[in-house]
Structure formats: C-alpha cells, structure tokens
Amino acid sequence: ERYLYKLDRPAVDQIAIYDTYDWRLFNNALTLHRSGQGLVLRSLENASPQEGVLAAVEPNFAWDLPQSALRDRLERIVKVRALLKLAEVEMRSTQFNILNEDEKTVGRLLYKEYALVQNGGQTALRSHIELLPIRGYPKYERQLVKLLKKAGCKAIQGDELTPMALEAAGKRPGSYSSKLNYRLKRKQRADEASKVILRQMLAIMRANEAGIKADIDTEFLHDYRIAVRRTRSLLSQNRRVFAAETTERFKRDFRVLGKRTNELRDLDVYLLSEGKFEAALPDELQEDIKPLFNYLKERRQTAIADVVEALESQTSTRISVDWQTCLRAPSA
C-alpha cells in the first residue's frame, strides 16, 4: 500500500519526571510527568493517564497542588515526602496526516524523538512512532499497523519513557528503601550476621545525610534517626557478640548522634501537625495559634543549622570512619 501524507509543523515539549527519594510512586506502579503547567499521574504498566491537574509552579509537596483528585491521591501515596525531579526530557514530535487516494485524512502518525536534558547538554534516547487512528477508518488503521510492523516497528509495552529516561540519567528505581533487606545464613556466626545488619544501617544513615543537609523533607532525618536507633538497639541486644569495649564505645557514640537530632525532630513533628492543632480550636481562636507556629519555624531554622554543623563535624566523621572500619574488620 502507498499513501500520501501532509506534514504538520514539528512541536517541542519539555517533560519532567518526578518521584520521591524512596520511590513511592514507582513502588505503586505509577509515574508523575509535568509538561508545561500540566501535571499527570500515569500508570507504568500501560502509560495511561490516571489523574491530572494544572499547576503554575513546580510540584514540591502534594499539598502545594490545587485541590484535585490528583492531589488527594498523591497525598495518600507520598504523604510528607517531597516530589523530586529525577529526569527532564525534551520531546520533538512531528505529525504525519495520512491521506487515501481521495486525499482524505484516514490516520495520523506521530513521530516522537526524545533526548535527556542534563548538565546543559542533551543525550539522544530512542524514538517512537504513535499511531493515532481516526474514527470511521478501521480498515486503514489495520493496514497502517501492518506497514509499521513490516518496517520493523515493535509495539510499546507500558510506559517506556520513564525507565528509559531514568536509566540515561543514572537513576535506579527502587534503589533506596529504609526497610531492612538482608539475608542471613542459618549457620552464620553471630558477629558476621550482626555486621550484615549494621552495615545496612550505616548505609541508610549515609544515604540520608545529603537530604538532611539540603532540608528537602523531614523523612530524611526520620530515616536517619531510625537507623541510629536500630544500631544502638542491636548493640544493646548483642552484648556478648562484640568485645565489651567496642560495644560500649559505639553505643555511646550513636547515643550522641541521636541526641543531636532530637530537637529538630520534635519541631518537625509539631510543624507537620500544624493543621490538626488549628482544626482542634474553635474558628474564632484559630488565628491565635499562628504566632506559636511562627516561633517554632524560627526555632527550626536554628535547629537544622545545628544538625548540619553536627553532621559535618570532626566528631561525626570520626564515628563514621571508625564504625565502618570496625564493621569491615575480619572476625576474631
């Protein structure tokens, strides 16, 4: 079969891809795309749009978005985590209007070229051809599908743009989780098994330090503190596994690390509950509690600066290096 076609003017679009640091959208088989002012939640399985909304500013937290079904769903999934831009893609699309012998438009082909935008440059990604059938011309749709297959085209399964862009950007979906994930052997020595767990705790602490310093969201500190607390708990439970002086020394060290973050975490918990505290008051008194939260926000600026200083201190560096050396040391 041969067809005539009319070529539309090429269009250029920027697509940003978002998820949380711990991949909450990916773990729910979802992906969030922003193009212009349009924000769309899509299924990773078939790329179909789920919910969408127009937002004038980039998404940061779900509650920053206009009231919509998209906002409600994101709040249920991502909760207090920030939405991070993981990749930005430039899409150039050209539409071919397919004409029959009577020069009637019987189908449309949309040719899409993708390029990852990163560090001031672009990296070419795979191109796609999208068939846009026209109602009333099923025969031509079938013929066009056959021609595309004959030309070597393969049908796309699900959302290919997101994994393609993330791979090119060096991002690995599911690469971080605060949940414990390790395998122990039945006859493994207790000290070796303990080190497997403790190394993972140390990796979680280190993975969250940059997010704490950048003050991206409160969950970086939360995950860091849990890893510290779990480390102290395991050391307390395994008093006969490691040398007594080693156990006591690092229990003391991790108590210091945890204590330095106490005030910041307390303030985070209060500030995250600001709306609940307001709602608990009669309408005429809700404005009266705002000065308290303004004061807590000012206190938090000092607290986060103190935590960052503590993380960058020689004491923290020494504890981290010494602990890593201990965990890597051969078993006695």
Side-chain angles (χ1 to χ4, degrees), residues 57-77:
V57 297
E58 271 199 80
N60 188 12
F61 293 95
W63 57 71
D64 293 330
L65 298 175
Q67 284 290 350
S68 58
L70 173 62
R71 170 176 165 170
D72 293 342
R73 191 167 181 192
L74 285 177
E75 284 185 332
R76 290 195 300 271
I77 296 172

Side-chain angles (χ1 to χ4, degrees), residues 132-149:
L132 306 174
I134 294 180
R135 184 179 299 177
Y137 295 97
K139 179 184 75 171
Y140 291 101
E141 180 184 353
R142 291 192 297 269
Q143 290 176 353
L144 289 169
V145 169
K146 288 181 180 179
L147 285 172
L148 290 171
K149 288 182 177 179

Side-chain angles (χ1 to χ4, degrees), residues 1 50 54 125 137 159 172 197 202 205 232 245 289-290 306 309 324:
E1 294 287 343
Q50 304 280 307
L54 291 176
L125 305 174
Y137 295 97
D159 175 16
R172 188 163 56 88
I197 302 170
L202 179 59
M205 289 179 224
R232 291 178 57 196
E245 60 271 19
I289 202 173
K290 290 191 182 298
D306 290 343
E309 183 180 354
Q324 182 171 314

Side-chain angles (χ1 to χ4, degrees), residues 5 20 25 31 40 59 67 160 187-188 198 203 226 235 240 272 320 327:
Y5 67 85
T20 63
L25 294 178
T31 181
V40 179
Q67 284 290 350
E160 287 201 350
K187 295 185 178 181
Q188 196 168 10
L198 291 167
I226 287 177
L235 287 171
R240 297 183 181 181
L272 287 171
S320 180
L327 295 180

Side-chain angles (χ1 to χ4, degrees), residues 214-231:
D215 201 14
I216 295 172
D217 65 41
T218 59
E219 292 301 280
F220 287 95
L221 180 68
H222 179 58
D223 287 0
Y224 176 89
R225 283 170 54 84
I226 287 177
V228 170
R229 190 161 61 244
R230 284 173 171 167
T231 298

Side-chain angles (χ1 to χ4, degrees), residues 32-41 51-56 65-71 74:
L32 185 65
H33 291 184
R34 177 181 174 87
S35 177
Q37 291 191 5
L39 205 61
V40 179
L41 190 67
E51 284 97 13
V53 71
L54 291 176
L65 298 175
Q67 284 290 350
S68 58
L70 173 62
R71 170 176 165 170
L74 285 177

